[in-house]
């Protein structure tokens, strides 16, 4: 503090250099905190999206996970599996019903395939 007060008497430039020296550490802490929060948000949203990608896709907006896709549909009722009409499973994307043995096999192989891709 004494150094800053002493520099105030000398010139504005020295005062500015002293103030920068005093707050530069806090600016660094602030930047690290903000970037850490942003990265945590990206990881959280990305992990949810990648998890839902194993089950299907939202054709109207591919970047939405299942929950957000159903929110955008404004539907209050979902079917028994928790899906809304906007969310499409992988068998439905290929023109096969999600019900029955063929739909189950498609869902199984897409789930395993995406899981193996994510493990790389």
């Amino acid at each position: 503090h004494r150094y800053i007060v002493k520099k105030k008497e000398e010139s504005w430039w020295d005062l500015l250099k002293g103030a920068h020296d005093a707050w530069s550490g806090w600016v660094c802490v602030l930047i690290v905190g903000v970037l850490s929060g942003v990265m945590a948000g990206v990881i959280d949203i990305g992990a949810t999206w990648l998890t839902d990608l194993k089950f299907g896709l939202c054709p109207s907006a591919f970047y939405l996970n299942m929950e957000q896709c159903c929110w955008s549909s404004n539907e209050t009722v979902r079917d028994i599996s928790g899906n809304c009409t906007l969310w499409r499973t992988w068998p439905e994307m290929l023109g096969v019903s999600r019900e029955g043995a063929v739909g189950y096999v498609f869902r199984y192989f897409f789930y395993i395939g995406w899981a193996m891709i994510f493990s790389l």
Side-chain angles (χ1 to χ4, degrees), residues 17-99:
K17 287 193 316 189
H20 172 70
D21 185 47
W23 61 265
S24 62
W26 290 107
V27 170
C28 182
V29 169
L30 175 72
I31 291 171
V32 168
V34 167
L35 289 177
S36 297
V38 167
M39 289 306 298
V42 167
I43 289 170
D44 182 45
I45 292 169
T48 306
W49 180 74
L50 287 173
T51 300
D52 286 345
L53 188 61
K54 293 186 288 189
F55 299 109
L57 191 64
C58 186
S60 60
F62 76 94
Y63 51 86
L64 295 177
N65 63 17
M66 186 184 338
E67 185 178 2
Q68 292 169 341
C69 182
C70 292
W71 280 350
S72 67
S73 71
N74 294 326
E75 292 179 3
T76 56
V77 179
R78 296 185 190 172
D79 65 4
I80 196 160
S81 64
N83 293 330
C84 62
T85 56
L86 283 181
W87 182 260
R88 298 282 181 248
T89 60
W90 290 114
E92 290 173 330
M93 296 291 281
L94 298 173
V96 178
S97 171
R98 78 172 100 173
E99 305 300 325

